[in-house]
Amino acid sequence: MHQQLKTLALVVYIFTSFQLQAQVLNEPEEGHSADFTEEPGPERPCISAEEYEVMEKTLQENYLMLGLDQKAITAMTTKFAWPLRQANGLNDCSYYYITNFVDQDTTADSTRDWNCGKRTYDDHKGVDIAPYPYSLYKMDSNQVEVVAAAPGTIVARADGRFDKNCDWVSGSDANYVIIRHQDGSTSRYWHMKKNTVTSKVVGQTVVTGEYLGVVGSSGRSTGPHLHFEVSRTSNRSDYVDPFGGICNASNDSTLWINQLPYIDTGIMKVSTNTISPVFPACPQTETPNEDSCFLGGVSAKFYIFIRNQRAGTSAAMRILRPDGSVFSSWTKDFTDNFSRSYWSWTRTYPTATGTYMFEASYNGKVCSKPFRINCNLTDTKTKEGVAGTLFFPNPISTQSAIQFEPALNGATLLIYNSMGIVVQRHTNFTGSSLPLQNTHLQPGVHYIQIADGVSGTGPVKLVLTD
Ligand SMILES: [Zn+2]
């Protein structure tokens, strides 16, 4: 984690700005931010020796209290699911990248990961996974959750510790959970956000995928990330590497149910902005400045965010009209390897009203986001709902109908008044229009919440007029 952020601070952001003539595409403006993980760093433990000692003493006491055996009962059979997920309301194409693997080289000042590379640091006993982009914004908004990677019993937990560390702070302890699995192995989830750790206590059980907390930067951490560590027993010296590969000396095969590729190249997110996002230094929170509703004909930026960009690959971008025809398209050839990167191009928005799509295709996957042109012209404001669904207008007359694009299918719709009381509830709502006439809704500030069972919005302000 440290290496990347430190390098990031040195990276020069190349951002020049010019507006292209309407709808004429010249060479795009580009900006990038990236960092390298190729070089090994000095020893920078995510968990300090003192913190490990306290942890093991806590585990001894808790095992005694729960009547558990500290040694592995059998050979290790536990397989792990991914320990992170997007919270309700976050629908990015992806949201994380791996910053460091386990160090397989036990020689001091020497590093080697499971694939014989150098994506680790000395004496690192876990896997570091960081949200991207906007890791502090995601932390503030509770958008990336830590979940149990396998079923088991909570054998230790801590919460209430400071959670916005940006460098290694001596004596800084983390918010964490440790789970003991049926075969006696343990998994550790470190650095969580303050006051977000599961309310379950030591001795209670969790199932795979169950909420444990929100990704934060408590303890020895330089920015929000999860340190995920696995041990055959309750002892840290029995740690294993969940990734199976020829340079993994600690275990024969992968411990993941689905092991990710070593280089997991992919498109993570696309966005359209008229105001550039702001990326201040940790601990300040980023400002994404994203929107999905714009005036036609104005200058805008189109962003793509990439994980494990590889030299020699290219990305293809398209802006599609409401009828699916291509409004504009361009490609970008990459010449560098970056663990994460973002790129932007300035274009002029179309002038014709409607819902458009911005999409980027990279490494066999397409990531897209709808945006609407001219919803502001009648003093309306569009907000994003479920999985890219837009609803408009807002403010809206109680004699009118809320429109959804694309249409909702089996969604739950809740409208609250300013007192937080539900004044309209629609379950299994399907369609593109919700009439408000004859529903006895009063003018004033309301809130609307949409969920489709998989994702949803938080309450979004909805202003009703006569
Ligand atoms: Zn770590």
Side-chain angles (χ1 to χ4, degrees):
M1 193 64 202
H2 193 227
Q3 186 67 27
Q4 291 87 321
L5 291 177
K6 221 169 183 179
T7 314
L8 180 62
L10 301 172
V11 167
V12 178
Y13 287 71
I14 306 160
F15 256 112
T16 54
S17 185
F18 61 92
Q19 186 171 345
L20 298 166
Q21 297 304 304
Q23 302 186 18
V24 177
L25 301 181
N26 299 316
E27 266 303 294
E29 166 205 357
E30 297 166 359
H32 74 257
S33 117
D35 50 85
F36 297 86
T37 52
E38 318 296 338
E39 294 301 315
E43 182 174 356
R44 288 184 301 259
C46 279
I47 306 175
S48 67
E50 303 79 51
E51 204 178 2
Y52 267 124
E53 261 174 45
V54 173
M55 179 215 302
E56 294 202 339
K57 192 164 171 294
T58 304
L59 284 173
Q60 278 175 14
E61 292 167 4
N62 290 348
Y63 272 58
L64 205 61
M65 176 181 81
L66 298 169
L68 294 170
D69 190 343
Q70 283 204 264
K71 295 200 171 58
I73 293 166
T74 56
M76 193 171 164
T77 53
T78 301
K79 294 280 185 187
F80 296 99
W82 197 241
L84 295 178
R85 73 174 173 210
Q86 301 191 77
N88 259 358
L90 183 66
N91 298 296
D92 286 352
C93 297
S94 188
Y95 60 96
Y96 64 83
Y97 71 112
I98 294 173
T99 65
N100 287 294
F101 293 109
V102 172
D103 180 17
Q104 285 287 342
D105 189 332
T106 50
T107 316
D109 301 325
S110 183
T111 58
R112 186 171 63 246
D113 64 41
W114 59 274
N115 198 47
C116 315
K118 294 281 188 187
R119 292 172 61 192
T120 180
Y121 56 82
D122 204 20
D123 203 27
H124 190 231
K125 296 180 171 70
V127 182
D128 288 344
I129 313 163
Y132 184 74
Y134 311 125
S135 64
L136 284 147
Y137 176 83
K138 283 185 161 78
M139 174 182 161
D140 288 352
S141 319
N142 299 332
Q143 288 183 329
V144 181
E145 295 175 348
V146 179
V147 296
T153 304
I154 296 174
V155 286
R157 70 188 293 286
D159 200 354
R161 279 91 178 255
F162 179 73
D163 59 7
K164 279 205 173 168
N165 288 314
C166 301
D167 209 336
W168 270 263
V169 181
S170 166
S172 175
D173 293 333
N175 305 311
Y176 69 83
V177 169
I178 303 178
I179 297 172
R180 180 189 184 272
H181 308 292
Q182 200 172 11
D183 57 6
S185 64
T186 52
S187 52
R188 294 140 205 257
Y189 308 79
W190 235 251
H191 306 307
M192 289 192 279
K193 179 178 170 178
K194 185 177 177 176
N195 297 336
T196 69
V197 174
T198 173
S199 57
K200 284 197 172 175
V201 297
V202 169
Q204 286 190 286
T205 58
V206 291
V207 297
T208 303
E210 185 167 330
Y211 174 91
L212 296 180
V214 169
V215 172
S217 192
S218 57
R220 291 265 197 122
S221 174
T222 57
H225 76 288
L226 170 69
H227 172 92
F228 176 69
E229 183 175 317
V230 178
S231 169
R232 288 182 203 281
T233 65
S234 63
N235 195 311
R236 72 177 187 272
S237 61
D238 293 324
Y239 70 94
V240 287
D241 187 337
F243 284 88
I246 53 170
C247 279
N248 179 347
S250 58
N251 41 302
D252 293 335
S253 56
T254 181
L255 302 177
W256 295 112
I257 296 167
N258 292 305
Q259 177 163 316
L260 294 173
Y262 182 66
I263 303 291
D264 190 16
T265 299
I267 179 91
M268 302 182 70
K269 177 185 179 70
V270 300
S271 73
T272 55
N273 293 47
T274 46
I275 306 167
S276 296
V278 184
F279 298 94
C282 180
Q284 292 181 79
T285 299
E286 310 90 350
T287 310
N289 279 328
E290 287 171 26
D291 209 341
S292 50
C293 179
F294 306 95
L295 282 171
V298 304
S299 177
K301 279 181 175 169
F302 292 78
Y303 284 82
I304 66 171
F305 298 85
I306 287 177
R307 173 176 60 214
N308 294 149
Q309 174 190 310
R310 292 291 102 178
T313 61
S314 57
M317 278 59 67
R318 299 202 299 175
I319 299 171
L320 300 176
R321 294 190 186 92
D323 66 2
S325 63
V326 177
F327 170 74
S328 72
S329 64
W330 66 98
T331 58
K332 168 64 187 169
D333 297 327
F334 299 116
T335 55
D336 292 295
N337 292 338
F338 291 138
S339 61
R340 57 181 176 169
S341 59
Y342 72 82
W343 301 83
S344 74
W345 296 268
T346 298
R347 293 289 182 272
T348 302
Y349 278 135
T351 50
T353 300
T355 301
Y356 292 73
M357 190 70 83
F358 173 46
E359 65 168 42
S361 172
Y362 183 54
N363 199 34
K365 290 250 165 66
V366 178
C367 186
S368 59
K369 185 182 158 103
F371 64 94
R372 192 169 165 81
I373 289 297
N374 290 341
C375 40
N376 282 331
L377 288 182
T378 52
D379 192 31
T380 60
K381 174 81 176 142
T382 301
K383 286 291 179 188
E384 197 173 336
V386 173
T389 301
L390 308 175
F391 69 85
F392 53 92
N394 187 11
I396 181 172
S397 160
T398 53
Q399 302 309 308
S400 187
I402 301 174
Q403 304 299 320
F404 302 98
E405 276 189 23
L408 293 167
N409 189 6
T412 298
L413 279 174
L414 295 175
I415 298 177
Y416 303 83
N417 65 15
S418 60
M419 305 291 285
I421 295 164
V422 176
V423 289
Q424 260 201 38
R425 180 192 305 270
H426 302 268
T427 53
N428 210 12
F429 178 87
T430 296
S432 60
S433 181
L434 176 69
L436 300 179
Q437 301 96 312
N438 307 317
T439 57
H440 310 294
L441 287 175
Q442 299 301 312
V445 171
H446 288 68
Y447 294 88
I448 184 166
Q449 200 165 12
I450 312 173
D452 65 359
V454 179
S455 59
T457 58
V460 175
K461 199 170 173 181
L462 174 72
V463 178
L464 301 184
T465 60
D466 283 326

